[in-house]
Amino acid sequence: ERSRGCLREWKTVADSRDRRSLACANQREKKEMKRVAILMAVVCCAPTHHQSKPYFTASSGKYKFENVVDLGDINEEQLAKTARGIQALADSGAGFVTMRINSPGGSIFGGLEFTRNMEDMKKRHGFRVACVVDGVAMSMAAVILESPLCDVRLATNRSLLLFHNGSTGARGNAGDLRQAGSFLDAVNSAMSLIVSHRLCLDVGVYRARLALGDWVLSVEDAIAVNAIDGIAAPDDIAPPVITGRDLPL
């Protein structure tokens, strides 16, 4: 009887180990399937670089990217200047605009409003936008780069991109701080959806990466994760247009 009891106990332990092994195997299989799915998504959404050529043909033959408007700090003054430049080009009948980005970021809500307004302008006038990073596209500027505003996303070899969660300052009691945190979570969720969609990444995977800290990408890294469609040479970019009250910074 004691031997049968020991046998039953051993079988129970063995079955438990088998279940744990099976659970671990299933978990590893799920992780591998998810990894393969992500890789397939990136491959399926990988840019076709030659598709950008018909959109941007220089009339003078001197530059590949003309009708240039700069996007700098994401603040009210600078966004208004960029918007005026794009509006002037749209009113002139330009079929394409090059938005050259060199920005450390700035206002989340200012950037989102600018993006929406420029997307509406594109619909009204029917032009396309090439967004070319020449320097840095960080924080909100990187979100703009990945937004539907940019039909083609390029960068020069001297550039880098930085993605991270938004931040804010808050004061008050515990309820006020919790409310501020919930609000910021909602804002980060909205920006994550914009970027992850363009990168062809599951939004959960993208948010998990940002939870580790700033995500800094070189040009090569940006191409590998589908954050840009190709590389532009600085010499191919025309000087920015100057419109109305705007003077060079």
Side-chain angles (χ1 to χ4, degrees):
E1 181 65 29
R2 186 167 56 187
S3 297
R4 286 196 297 270
C6 290
L7 180 61
R8 285 196 300 270
E9 184 179 350
W10 178 86
K11 189 176 186 301
T12 301
V13 172
D15 289 346
S16 178
R17 287 176 177 172
D18 288 343
R19 286 195 296 271
R20 286 199 300 269
S21 298
L22 181 61
C24 289
N26 289 338
Q27 188 174 10
R28 286 194 297 269
E29 183 179 358
K30 288 180 181 179
K31 286 183 178 179
E32 179 64 16
M33 290 176 66
K34 188 172 184 178
R35 186 184 72 84
V36 171
I38 291 171
L39 290 175
M40 289 179 65
V42 172
V43 171
C44 291
C45 293
T48 306
H49 300 294
H50 70 272
Q51 289 181 350
S52 65
K53 292 181 181 178
Y55 299 158
F56 310 104
T57 303
S59 57
S60 66
K62 185 176 181 181
Y63 300 106
K64 289 184 180 178
F65 302 98
E66 295 185 330
N67 301 332
V68 178
V69 177
D70 281 339
L71 177 66
D73 291 354
I74 312 299
N75 59 45
E76 183 177 356
E77 180 182 357
Q78 291 298 310
L79 291 176
K81 179 177 178 179
T82 301
R84 287 196 299 271
I86 294 175
Q87 180 70 66
L89 289 169
D91 291 342
S92 72
F96 70 89
V97 171
T98 301
M99 188 165 72
R100 183 173 62 177
I101 302 173
N102 183 25
S103 172
S107 169
I108 294 174
F109 296 109
L112 292 174
E113 182 180 13
F114 168 81
T115 301
R116 186 189 68 245
N117 291 341
M118 293 305 100
E119 289 172 7
D120 288 345
M121 191 183 299
K122 283 174 58 181
K123 295 171 186 175
R124 288 194 297 269
H125 293 273
F127 60 87
R128 291 183 175 271
V129 178
C131 293
V132 184
V133 183
D134 190 19
V136 296
M138 305 171 71
S139 191
M140 191 61 214
V143 176
I144 292 175
L145 175 69
E146 304 301 336
S147 73
L149 170 60
C150 300
D151 296 293
V152 175
R153 306 157 301 161
L154 303 168
T156 62
N157 275 322
R158 59 192 180 190
S159 302
L160 64 84
L161 279 60
L162 181 147
F163 298 95
H164 63 186
N165 285 319
S167 61
T168 187
R171 59 183 300 176
N173 59 34
D176 295 330
L177 298 181
R178 282 193 294 269
Q179 185 177 12
S182 297
F183 181 74
L184 192 57
D185 283 340
V187 171
N188 287 331
S189 178
M191 292 192 297
S192 294
L193 287 170
I194 293 171
V195 177
S196 63
H197 177 75
R198 198 68 185 269
L199 269 59
C200 296
L201 280 178
D202 177 83
V203 66
V205 173
Y206 176 74
R207 297 201 68 175
R209 175 58 189 84
L210 294 194
L212 300 175
D214 292 349
W215 190 14
V216 182
L217 300 174
S218 66
V219 173
E220 292 80 6
D221 294 336
I223 289 177
V225 300
N226 198 34
I228 60 173
D229 301 311
I231 299 175
D235 289 344
D236 289 337
I237 306 171
V241 298
I242 305 297
T243 61
R245 302 184 303 276
D246 299 328
L247 297 173
L249 295 178

